[in-house]
Amino acid sequence: MTQAPLPADLKLRVSSRDAATVPANLAAWLATLLPEGAEPSVVLHSGIDANGMSSETIVLDVTRTQDGERRVGRYVARVAPAADDVPVFPTYQLREQYDVMKHVGEHTDVPVPAVRWLEPTGEVLGMPFFLMDRVEGDVPPDMMPYTFGDNWLFDASPEDQRNLQDASVGLLAGLHAIPDAEAAFDYLDPARQGHAGAAPLERNLARTRAWYEFAVADIGRSPTTERALTWLEANLPDAPESVLCWGDSRIGNVLYRDFRPVGVLDWEMATIGPRELDVSWMVFAHRVFDTITNRLGLPGMPEFMREADVRETYRRLTGVALGDLHWYHVYNAVQWCVVFMRTGARSIHFGEIQKPADVETLMHHKPLLDQLLAEVGA
């Protein structure tokens, strides 16, 4: 099928890093960590640029001597963004990502790439990073969004699409089953960043409000986002139970083989909070892409990731009947507003687009947010 052109501000540039210096710097650093005589050498491959908005990923092979033989290890470096590259988040919690991935990998069956080495100082690549094992698989693309068509997921049979959907919901069920999340992942609590509130959900909302104000400085204010935030603060639901929330629980952050998850990626939004945060994000993220697709006159995937289907699968896998998701959809719509504000500011910084007179023109899901606010009477 013929695809409509992608809006310019969705074609994201992430970093201004000079890749020419990376292999030697990484090899020298690894030589200090590996056994004597390993003599590591590093070869870079093309970065994973189909998805991802908040950090840089570097795909690399490391060849080293082990037991008298030269052996190749395949890794991905997750690199914190530099301040000059207009990062999505005001602070980037790389250590927390490393720790949560390590915990999930050791205590659940959720397929998380094994994390190997953490470099927290920034002395090697200019910013902190960690290396994790490279997992081979297919990712539903963000750019162009998988809902546009002409990709492996869009072209799959309804049965395979449903298998992928159910297996993706199963990831959330596995993460949410980790016991004593508030204690096990206390380092993810927004209170650690100074965000006040009586419960984790209130503290997450306070962090999102602060994130929005951080974005305003570079791009301007959004009346619709502020109206949504005011409604959220006035209608905070009771949430007695907190679980480990992946945070960015989109299928675009999962590697699949044969429509089954083999690698769960992108943990920078991980937090503790109600399970509805994750389930809503998974459903809402698809609705965002379908909204963008429909605005360009394409059919999208209306039968995929329907809320009723996702809720029922989650209930079947966990035994938990979720509460109403409207508040969480509005909350996640606000987070998408801030993401679009920050990625728009980055595109302006790199000269890819002109600064718009109205920041809300960057929010490609705005019709969806307007609909949600109308539904809740805000």
Side-chain angles (χ1 to χ4, degrees):
M1 64 185 291
T2 301
Q3 294 177 333
L6 189 68
D9 52 315
L10 288 181
K11 301 173 184 177
L12 299 175
R13 179 174 174 183
V14 172
S15 171
S16 56
R17 184 177 311 284
D18 179 6
T21 64
V22 171
N25 291 345
L26 281 175
W29 172 68
L30 287 167
T32 69
L33 301 173
L34 297 172
E36 186 176 356
E39 298 182 351
S41 63
V42 174
V43 174
L44 299 190
H45 299 281
S46 58
I48 302 175
D49 58 3
N51 292 1
M53 299 182 182
S54 59
S55 66
E56 181 182 2
T57 53
I58 301 173
V59 182
L60 63 143
D61 290 346
V62 177
T63 302
R64 58 175 170 171
T65 299
Q66 183 176 351
D67 299 327
E69 297 180 357
R70 295 294 282 173
R71 301 185 180 182
V72 178
R74 294 173 172 81
Y75 303 102
V76 172
R78 185 80 166 175
V79 188
D84 291 345
D85 289 334
V86 191
V88 170
F89 301 103
T91 59
Y92 195 78
Q93 298 179 284
L94 192 78
R95 162 69 74 175
E96 288 78 0
Q97 289 182 57
Y98 180 91
D99 288 344
V100 73
M101 291 180 69
K102 185 172 174 30
H103 187 113
V104 170
E106 292 175 350
H107 293 90
T108 77
D109 293 329
V110 175
V112 178
V115 291
R116 299 300 177 182
W117 301 283
L118 173 69
E119 201 294 290
T121 70
E123 294 176 357
V124 176
L125 296 182
M127 293 300 294
F129 67 93
F130 63 81
L131 291 189
M132 58 185 171
D133 286 359
R134 190 160 88 236
V135 178
E136 300 298 333
D138 297 314
V139 180
D142 287 354
M143 297 173 282
M144 305 274 241
Y146 62 88
T147 50
F148 277 32
D150 287 340
N151 61 76
W152 64 274
L153 179 56
F154 186 94
D155 295 335
S157 69
E159 292 77 16
D160 282 337
Q161 290 177 353
R162 184 56 185 261
N163 288 338
L164 182 144
Q165 175 181 303
D166 290 350
S168 302
V169 176
L171 297 174
L172 302 186
L175 293 172
H176 298 170
I178 299 175
D180 302 319
E182 288 195 49
F185 303 101
D186 62 325
Y187 53 89
L188 297 177
D189 193 321
R192 291 292 187 95
Q193 300 171 1
H195 301 292
L201 182 59
E202 187 175 0
R203 297 193 287 273
N204 275 288
L205 178 55
R207 179 169 59 186
T208 297
R209 165 72 81 169
W211 186 24
Y212 167 73
E213 295 295 343
F214 165 74
V216 163
D218 286 328
I219 200 73
R221 308 197 77 85
S222 161
T224 305
T225 305
E226 293 180 5
R227 180 158 55 98
L229 280 165
T230 299
W231 181 86
L232 289 167
E233 291 162 349
N235 293 274
L236 194 76
D238 293 330
E241 180 191 19
S242 289
V243 299
L244 168 65
C245 291
W246 176 10
D248 197 359
S249 51
R250 302 182 298 114
I251 61 170
N253 287 332
V254 183
L255 291 157
Y256 296 91
R257 283 201 298 268
D258 298 324
F259 302 94
R260 301 291 302 178
V262 293
V264 179
L265 311 174
D266 289 359
W267 291 83
E268 62 265 62
M269 294 178 69
T271 189
I272 53 173
R275 58 185 74 227
E276 285 86 356
L277 283 175
D278 265 349
V279 178
S280 167
W281 187 269
M282 183 169 282
V283 171
F284 190 78
H286 175 71
R287 293 179 69 184
V288 170
F289 285 134
D290 240 17
T291 297
I292 295 170
T293 305
N294 296 156
R295 290 179 71 186
L296 294 173
L298 298 173
M301 297 174 65
E303 302 302 313
F304 185 67
M305 282 289 171
R306 294 186 300 186
E307 180 178 329
D309 297 335
V310 170
R311 291 173 66 101
E312 175 55 26
T313 301
Y314 188 87
R315 185 205 61 76
R316 175 172 54 82
L317 294 175
T318 65
V320 175
L322 296 166
D324 184 82
L325 294 183
H326 271 84
W327 188 94
Y328 298 94
H329 290 337
V330 175
Y331 174 77
N332 285 325
V334 166
Q335 296 204 98
W336 274 89
C337 287
V338 183
V339 168
F340 282 133
M341 290 169 73
R342 292 305 294 161
T343 55
R346 177 185 291 160
S347 293
I348 294 165
H349 170 76
F350 283 118
E352 296 166 337
I353 63 171
Q354 296 294 316
K355 185 175 181 178
D358 179 4
V359 65
E360 294 187 359
T361 61
L362 297 172
M363 299 171 184
H364 304 290
H365 70 314
K366 188 173 181 296
L368 183 53
L369 174 56
D370 290 339
Q371 176 188 331
L372 286 170
L373 291 176
E375 289 173 356
V376 299

